[in-house]
Amino acid sequence: MNLQLGRPWPLGAHFDGQGINFAVFSANAQAMELCLFDATGTRELTRMRLPGYHNDIWHGYLPDAQPGLVYGLRAHGPWHPGQGHRFDASKLLLDPYARDIVGDFIWSDEHFAPDQADARHMATRDNARLALKARVTYDAFDWGDDRPPETPLADTVLYECHVKGLTRTHPAIPVESRGTFAGLAHEATIQHLKSLGITAVNLLPVQYALSEERLVSMGLRNYWGYNTLGFFSLNPQLASQTAGQSARDEFRTMVRTLHRVGLEVILDVVYNHTAETDHTGPILSFRGLDNASYYKLNADDRSHYNNDSGCGNTLDLRQPRVLQMVMDSLRYWVSDMHVDGFRFDLASVLGRTDSGFSTQASFFAAVTQDPVLSRVKMIAEPWDIGSGGYQVGRFPRGWLEWNDQFRDEMRRFWVQGASAPVTGANSGHRGDLAMRLCGSSDLYQAYRRAPAESVNYVVSHDGFTLRDLLSYNHRHNLANGENNRDGQGHNLNFNCGAEGPSNDPAINTLRSRLQRALLATTLLAQGTPMLCAGDELGHTQGGNNNPYCQDNATSWIDWSQADQDLIAFTRHVIALRHHLLPFANTWYSGTANADGIYDLSWWNADGSVLQGPAWHVPHFRTLGCLIGQPGRASSPLLLLINNEADARNFVLPRGPWQAVLDTSQPRGKADWLATGDAPVPVAAHALLLFQQDTSRPRSSLEPHQSGS
């Protein structure tokens, strides 16, 4: 077998029908070897130096080679950690562009190049026997008439879920498909999602990831998967691979099936760091190929890494070839795997320049002009742990952002508000609640962002479940092996009077009402709502608010314990959102039109205008909102909120008003008329939503002055 010169593009290994071209980036290597293995990846057959080198790309062409070929790389170069170079040709390296990864990773001393006693010296322990290898792929897939749903933002309802955890215990799904891509595409899963009114599943990481050595030593694994090594490859543990179907085909079949019923697929991706950890970590791929190019290194000591990710290292997207890898990976998932968008973990890393975060960073510019990526949904987790990393509201126009200020203000108002008589907690202000209900204009409007770019959530995978938020005052994370020190300590939570499960009817009633109130405000608010899987059916993690390493019943949704009333309630509220869209995807002015109809007005329970200092009185937890909706086909809406310990009477504008939602009811159903002639009681810790009877003209409203 003789390698020909080949060409420096495309990066990775690609079969052209007659042979395979190999191309790998390294600006600082002195030579690059291609190592071929048997089909199992256990026996090294031969080594050959890539003969071509052009513009920092090493390349070669192997005639007559066929798909299925298993290979790895060895990079020759200097071992000078202080200068940022960690080349060690004894280490077999995984191609960063690998589409399919062979082997089960086992932590071993062979993966570590530095002498642990003296990092200035290189150890020469060959790791080929244990190293992960790449397999060349060339598989056509019959997409048929597959088309992306392209759901408008105004109609989008996100559902964040883990592929395994969502279906691992579902009784209607065949055992062999539970916890896999096939299980997610099963009709039972689809029926649940569609009946709820979900439009997009946001999947926790499905790219190839490793469990940290520390976790493995404790018998745990990184269940969430935020520790990526292969940005082009799937995690095979999420595939059933029944009937000989590859993980790639099972994933694509899932996407095609979900598209056919109108569900978008959004991937949670981690381009801020890799699984190679800090300066004491293993050499598996990027570090051995070109450590000084792939990672941000400390300026005063290049043997150590910048750690804006908090995971030991940070990918350096300022480097053109690293940026190219990220862009190539994203395009691959859209073009080849047909996904509909991405949620970027610690996305502020992607926008960091030499002078800090910037919306003009190369990554954002590349995405904006890209003909493939510019048309899909891009969602940022808009922070990292580095200096200036908190960037909520500051991402480029068109990007969606997780809005943690929505999360915190909703928790302050509803959860801390309910706990205030017991704990004296700060319950938040009505003004803060109103601001979050109306798209967080303080964060987005000044930057010419749309309200829908705020992703509104109260619970995500990272923290307490909705049920646990109202069942525990303290985190219970001992099973994670860190003496209960891990996980968020500031949760704005309240156990409603008992730690954990309770048989007290009053406690359970309060918990249920607050769950429904939080769900309703999240799903009805202006912005793009995100529901965390399991919150609609009462999922509990036993008080663990950081179960990233719990691949067991702690994290898996227990369908046998599903709260059918809560499911029905969630279904009803989402249907109201789709039908009424209470807060439109346009900014409100708080002024009246020519007919005297205010687009939005706020008032107190007694019918007086809510304005001035009254917005910020912490112990006032009632308010009403009249949404005039001038120029829209929908009739005006009326939202009444009461988070007091007792029912409160509200004075209504002239009616009649049709009640469509009452969160004090287990399923939220409301079907009665209020005329406005008499005060309407709103139950404690609840909200009511009314729609004006369409038989009455809008001009009959007696609008309140705007107080916002």
Side-chain angles (χ1 to χ4, degrees), residues 601-604 606-612 614-615 703-708:
S601 59
W602 300 90
W603 40 287
N604 293 298
D606 62 6
S608 62
V609 174
L610 178 52
Q611 59 186 349
W615 276 110
H704 294 268
Q705 297 289 323
S706 173
S708 60

Side-chain angles (χ1 to χ4, degrees), residues 413-414 433 437 521 602 621-624 639-643 650 682 686-688:
F413 183 83
W414 286 110
L433 176 74
L437 279 174
T521 45
W602 300 90
R621 293 189 291 275
T622 59
L623 74 162
L639 182 65
L640 307 180
I641 294 174
N642 174 31
N643 196 29
F650 278 72
V682 180
L687 63 85
L688 289 176

Side-chain angles (χ1 to χ4, degrees), residues 12 169 420 431 439 495 645:
T169 72
N495 67 15

Side-chain angles (χ1 to χ4, degrees), residues 269-274 309 311 313-315 344-347 349-350:
V269 288
V270 187
Y271 294 105
N272 57 75
H273 76 282
T274 79
S309 68
C311 298
N313 63 61
T314 304
L315 278 173
F344 294 86
D345 181 65
L346 299 181
V349 166
L350 309 178

Side-chain angles (χ1 to χ4, degrees), residues 104-125:
D104 295 318
F105 185 77
I106 300 173
W107 285 98
S108 172
D109 289 345
E110 283 90 336
H111 296 305
F112 295 85
D115 184 327
Q116 298 299 304
D118 187 350
R120 294 173 300 173
H121 296 91
M122 179 176 62
T124 55
R125 294 169 295 201

Side-chain angles (χ1 to χ4, degrees), residues 79-86 118-120 278-280 287 291-292 295-307 312-314 318:
W79 176 263
H80 292 306
Q83 299 176 18
H85 302 308
R86 294 177 178 269
D118 187 350
R120 294 173 300 173
D278 62 14
H279 64 284
T280 66
R287 178 173 283 147
N291 183 68
Y295 296 118
K296 286 185 176 181
L297 306 178
N298 288 349
D300 55 348
D301 182 1
R302 291 178 63 80
S303 68
H304 285 66
Y305 297 84
N306 173 294
N307 191 24
N313 63 61
T314 304
R318 299 171 303 177

Side-chain angles (χ1 to χ4, degrees), residues 471-492:
S471 301
Y472 295 91
N473 281 349
H474 309 285
R475 58 192 173 193
H476 295 261
N477 298 356
L478 284 173
N480 298 350
E482 298 182 49
N483 295 317
N484 213 39
R485 295 190 302 266
D486 62 305
Q488 177 61 254
H490 180 65
N491 298 283
L492 299 170

Side-chain angles (χ1 to χ4, degrees), residues 107-271:
W107 285 98
S108 172
D109 289 345
E110 283 90 336
H111 296 305
F112 295 85
D115 184 327
Q116 298 299 304
D118 187 350
R120 294 173 300 173
H121 296 91
M122 179 176 62
T124 55
R125 294 169 295 201
D126 194 294
N127 72 332
R129 178 179 60 89
L130 299 171
L132 296 172
K133 291 93 178 175
R135 178 185 287 118
V136 180
T137 61
Y138 186 74
D139 51 346
F141 183 78
D142 182 10
W143 284 103
D145 59 355
D146 182 65
R147 294 177 60 84
E150 296 181 340
T151 306
L153 280 186
D155 300 326
T156 296
V157 178
L158 301 170
Y159 187 84
E160 189 196 34
C161 60
H162 189 286
V163 170
K164 184 174 185 178
L166 181 62
T167 66
R168 182 63 178 79
T169 72
H170 201 300
I173 296 175
V175 173
E176 64 273 14
S177 296
R178 294 177 188 173
T180 70
F181 301 128
L184 186 58
H186 190 272
E187 60 183 8
T189 312
I190 290 174
Q191 191 279 329
H192 178 71
L193 296 172
K194 292 295 292 182
S195 70
L196 285 176
I198 300 301
T199 69
V201 289
N202 188 157
L203 306 181
L204 267 64
V206 300
Q207 293 174 338
Y208 196 100
L210 296 183
S211 292
E212 294 84 344
E213 185 178 22
R214 176 186 61 84
L215 290 179
V216 174
S217 69
M218 294 189 295
L220 301 172
R221 62 184 297 264
N222 191 320
Y223 167 69
W224 283 352
Y226 290 93
N227 201 36
T228 311
L229 185 66
F231 294 106
F232 294 79
S233 183
L234 286 162
N235 178 356
Q237 295 177 339
L238 297 177
S240 65
Q241 301 188 47
T242 56
Q245 188 179 47
S246 68
R248 283 160 50 84
D249 279 353
E250 186 171 321
F251 179 88
R252 290 184 286 196
T253 299
M254 176 198 74
V255 172
R256 184 182 62 191
T257 303
L258 295 179
H259 280 180
R260 285 177 178 172
V261 296
L263 289 169
E264 293 183 311
V265 178
I266 295 172
L267 301 186
D268 211 331
V269 288
V270 187
Y271 294 105

